[in-house]
Amino acid sequence: MNNRIRILLTTTAAVAALGVAAGARAEDTISEAIGASKPIFESSLRSESVDQFGFAEKAEALTWRNRFGFTTGEYEGWKAIVEVDSVEALTEDYNSTLNGKTTFPNVVDPEVTEINRAQLSWAATETTTLTVGRQRIILDDARFIGNVGWRQDEQTYDAIRLDTMLGPVKVTGAYVGRVNRIQGDDKDWKSNSYLVNASYSVNEALKFTAFNYSFDFETTATAPTAADIANAKLSSVSTTGLRAYGGAWVSAFKLNYVAQYAGQSPSGKNPAADFTLHETMLEGSATWDIYTFKVNYEILEGNGTQGFVTPLGTVHAFEGWADVFAAVGGNKTHPNGIKDLSYNLTVAGHTKPWAPWFMNPTLSVIYHDFQTDRLGQDIGTEWDAVLTAGITKNLSLMLKYADFERANPTMPASRTKTWIMLQYKL
């Protein structure tokens, strides 16, 4: 598959090169582009409490993330983004996985200051863009490739990325040389990985996406632990899949669906015996007025020693906010696989008179029922709830809660998590 990916990337580069003239903007100057730069500033103050079975201590984390930088204007299709993340722990009664406070439950928000993005992009044509450098990559719904944006220090990629249109097909191809993970430099991965994602729209009711993600990882830690080495290698997999999705109005209801199927096998330096595991996901939702009800059923297969993994995915949004699978049986999985049936009710009250004090308040409540794919064992159940609201145009408030109750002592530990967050975006 890697050779086909390299051919696709080379072809896309040729398409980009052919469009240089069309993409040039001779009327721009470098000084005008610099003068047109816009600042980036985000500030996130977050309290996270974790009460987890097996720990005498309750984790209490108060972290403050500031993200600042700038985006330049365009010069002949060229544009740059430079951005820095700085995360400070105002209280540190928690295990960041780096601070050695192992008597507390995990809150994976270590203190870190690093370059979050440093990218240069070139719009060769109206339909072709090349992006080089440290960048944010989110494909589809971030199930397989995302930025893990819930954590204070997001996941970014040192990569070369091409986005183009090949007739009616939108194609993204990327080579990733490093994964800048959420725990800072010492937990990052060296990468020799290829991403290909191609989508085609028949109409609003029927769209398709095909993808192949071939991962090959090694830890970058200067003094790696056995877990660092094993986690990177076991996350080296090749995943190929197909996604169909769309929506339509039926009377006063907006109906949407997603159907997804993917296969996975070891890749790169993965030491596991040859395996083939699959992911199947079906989702349907209906929106009426301010109410949206969604049902999602996902199966991640497992063979008893290895589960289907999504090492670059934003798992928090899919497998429950309590993050019970983040470190079980490998990377973000369970060795016997996971069956997750969830129900989600969202109420957006921005048009209603009962929400006069806040801007765009939204309430979501989610219920998960987890079982293993292999052996059909009950894992547990989880309730999640979140309320978000704008205080001003730039300042928002989030209240969030997760409660996972395990089915028996062999499963991940029961826990509750509570968040209070204030976020400012320029």
Side-chain angles (χ1 to χ4, degrees), residues 273-284:
D274 189 37
F275 62 83
T276 300
L277 298 172
H278 299 92
E279 181 259 5
T280 305
M281 191 267 286
L282 297 173
E283 179 180 286

Side-chain angles (χ1 to χ4, degrees), residues 154-165:
E154 75 172 327
Q155 178 173 278
T156 57
Y157 304 87
D158 294 354
I160 301 172
R161 171 176 174 168
L162 282 160
D163 296 276
T164 193
M165 294 291 293

Side-chain angles (χ1 to χ4, degrees), residues 16-43:
L18 291 172
V20 173
R25 297 189 176 187
E27 70 278 13
D28 291 340
T29 66
I30 294 177
S31 60
E32 287 174 345
I34 294 173
S37 295
K38 296 181 179 179
I40 298 170
F41 180 70
E42 299 178 17
S43 188

Side-chain angles (χ1 to χ4, degrees), residues 83-261:
E83 182 179 79
V84 173
D85 266 3
S86 179
V87 181
E88 299 293 329
L90 304 183
T91 63
E92 202 174 1
D93 293 333
Y94 68 97
N95 181 14
S96 73
T97 71
L98 296 177
N99 60 8
K101 297 192 174 184
T102 56
T103 59
F104 295 97
N106 289 354
V107 176
V108 192
D109 283 328
E111 290 192 301
V112 60
T113 298
E114 64 181 7
I115 294 174
N116 192 52
R117 289 190 290 172
Q119 68 181 61
L120 185 64
S121 62
W122 173 44
T125 71
E126 291 184 357
T127 59
T128 299
T129 301
L130 169 70
T131 306
V132 179
R134 182 162 297 183
Q135 57 191 280
R136 180 183 296 134
I137 301 179
I138 303 173
L139 299 180
D140 300 323
D141 59 0
R143 187 66 181 98
F144 295 102
I145 308 294
N147 65 330
V148 195
W150 168 243
R151 300 303 345 161
Q152 293 281 53
D153 180 30
E154 75 172 327
Q155 178 173 278
T156 57
Y157 304 87
D158 294 354
I160 301 172
R161 171 176 174 168
L162 282 160
D163 296 276
T164 193
M165 294 291 293
L166 300 176
V169 180
K170 180 180 178 181
V171 179
T172 295
Y175 171 78
V176 178
R178 183 185 179 100
V179 181
N180 306 291
R181 303 173 73 220
I182 61 174
Q183 295 156 287
D185 288 345
D186 211 37
K187 298 294 184 179
D188 289 349
W189 287 339
K190 297 177 185 176
S191 172
N192 183 27
S193 303
Y194 298 87
L195 317 177
V196 173
N197 182 289
S199 59
Y200 173 72
S201 176
V202 178
N203 51 44
E204 284 301 309
L206 183 59
K207 302 176 183 180
F208 294 100
T209 298
F211 53 88
N212 175 262
Y213 308 132
S214 181
F215 301 152
D216 186 4
F217 301 129
E218 292 182 85
T219 179
T220 63
T222 53
T225 65
D228 290 330
I229 296 170
N231 197 36
K233 290 183 177 181
L234 289 172
S235 297
S236 299
V237 292
S238 180
T239 304
T240 301
L242 181 65
R243 176 183 179 91
Y245 57 101
W249 283 95
V250 178
S251 186
F253 293 88
K254 178 62 184 297
L255 305 181
N256 289 281
Y257 72 93
V258 180
Q260 182 170 277
Y261 182 77

